[in-house]
Amino acid sequence: GKRMTAKETAEHCKVCDLREVSCVNNCGETKLMLKDMDSHLQFDCFRRPITCKDCADPKVVFEEMEMHLADLCTFRFVQCPLGCGKEKRFFDLERHQRVCTWRIVECPLKCGIPQRMVECDIHVKNDCINRRVSCPLKCRGLVVFKHLQQHLQDVCNCRPAECKFCKKVFVKKQLETHHQECESRLQPCKNKCGANVPLDQMEVHMRETCVHRVVPCPLLCGLQVREINLGFHQQSECVNRQ
């Protein structure tokens, strides 16, 4: 209502508290009186910055606060992506994943199969091919599981082993002693014919097949000759030869 010249009016309009202005936050309000701007920015503007109640960020846009709390706030709770079921604040998530019991870790026995940390002890105890197990044949040894079959077949001194003479099966650690006593072990012929004969067949060999056994001359000369020399005797020495 103040009376002024045209020039003064033009200058006054640039600073008048009743002139229309647009919201500085670009909320779309374009016909605010300058005198109402502070109130608008403080209470009405949906683009005004406000402070997040959780993370204390002072520059969250009012109309975006719900999205901020749900998706952007570093203090929001989120489920552990590794599947342990725990909820952690977003800012603490990276630290939690480094210690989470559901994180994937290398097997401590170096079998090459990754495991969840929470399952690692069970894996090492029951499943890992590099775990040590007791020999099922009771040899008192601890064997790496992946080598167990080889141990049972070729190494264990409690494995079954066949005697090379009598073909009976004994415990491997008893076999050497058995070989020294086995009735079927090979022995040099007592007549020194050069043959190695099973001990339990020695008498039959010496009586029936040994080339050094003494036999009567079939031409009835009365002499007894080694079987190996019988042909020569019959042809050259026997008094009853033809």
Side-chain angles (χ1 to χ4, degrees):
K2 184 178 179 181
R3 296 179 66 84
M4 58 188 70
T5 65
K7 182 178 180 180
E8 290 174 334
T9 299
E11 292 298 324
H12 173 75
C13 285
K14 295 178 181 179
V15 297
C16 181
D17 287 343
L18 299 182
R19 73 184 188 277
E20 289 185 348
V21 292
S22 297
C23 174
V24 295
N25 290 330
N26 297 318
C27 70
E29 185 63 65
T30 59
K31 294 186 177 183
L32 287 170
M33 286 194 228
L34 181 61
K35 68 181 182 65
D36 297 328
M37 179 65 78
D38 289 343
S39 176
H40 170 76
L41 293 177
Q42 185 174 359
F43 300 110
D44 301 324
C45 180
F46 57 83
R47 296 290 301 172
R48 66 187 184 274
I50 59 175
T51 299
C52 173
K53 61 183 178 62
D54 293 331
C55 69
D57 183 350
K59 297 182 179 181
V60 182
V61 175
F62 177 81
E63 68 173 351
E64 297 174 356
M65 179 58 76
E66 185 175 345
M67 179 183 69
H68 169 82
L69 292 173
D71 301 324
L72 301 174
C73 181
T74 57
F75 271 65
R76 71 188 185 277
F77 283 99
V78 292
Q79 285 276 347
C80 171
L82 301 180
C84 71
K86 293 183 178 180
E87 286 193 342
K88 293 291 179 180
R89 293 193 182 273
F90 182 80
F91 75 85
D92 193 39
L93 192 58
E94 184 176 345
R95 182 203 63 80
H96 168 74
Q97 288 178 281
R98 290 196 298 269
V99 299
C100 179
T101 56
W102 276 53
R103 71 189 186 276
I104 301 298
V105 296
E106 180 183 348
C107 170
L109 300 182
K110 310 297 184 183
C111 71
I113 302 176
Q115 299 292 322
R116 293 190 187 278
M117 183 64 184
V118 71
E119 298 167 345
C120 204
D121 287 346
I122 295 175
H123 167 75
V124 167
K125 183 178 180 181
N126 299 325
D127 302 318
C128 181
I129 60 174
N130 285 342
R131 72 189 186 276
R132 291 187 174 272
V133 295
S134 297
C135 173
L137 298 181
K138 313 296 183 184
C139 73
R140 298 183 181 180
L142 287 176
V143 187
V144 175
F145 182 78
K146 67 181 178 183
H147 298 149
L148 183 58
Q149 288 305 311
Q150 180 184 2
H151 170 80
L152 294 174
Q153 293 174 8
D154 304 324
V155 180
C156 181
N157 63 4
C158 290
R159 71 188 188 274
E162 184 181 86
C163 173
K164 62 184 178 182
F165 303 124
C166 67
K167 305 305 180 182
K168 293 180 180 179
V169 177
F170 296 86
V171 173
K172 175 66 176 177
K173 64 183 178 181
Q174 299 173 347
L175 197 56
E176 185 174 349
T177 300
H178 168 74
H179 282 163
Q180 298 172 4
E181 303 170 349
C182 181
E183 291 297 323
S184 297
R185 70 187 185 275
L186 297 179
Q187 293 287 295
C189 172
K190 294 180 180 179
N191 287 335
K192 299 182 180 180
C193 72
N196 288 318
V197 185
L199 185 61
D200 56 3
Q201 299 176 25
M202 184 67 75
E203 290 185 8
V204 174
H205 166 76
M206 293 175 64
R207 185 174 63 249
E208 299 179 3
T209 60
C210 180
V211 295
H212 281 191
R213 74 187 185 278
V214 176
V215 294
C217 174
L219 299 182
L220 305 177
C221 70
L223 293 179
Q224 291 192 337
V225 185
R226 287 185 183 274
E227 198 275 340
I228 194 173
N229 298 326
L230 188 58
F232 176 79
H233 168 74
Q234 288 177 302
Q235 294 177 7
S236 306
E237 297 178 339
C238 181
V239 296
N240 292 339
R241 69 185 183 276
Q242 295 294 325

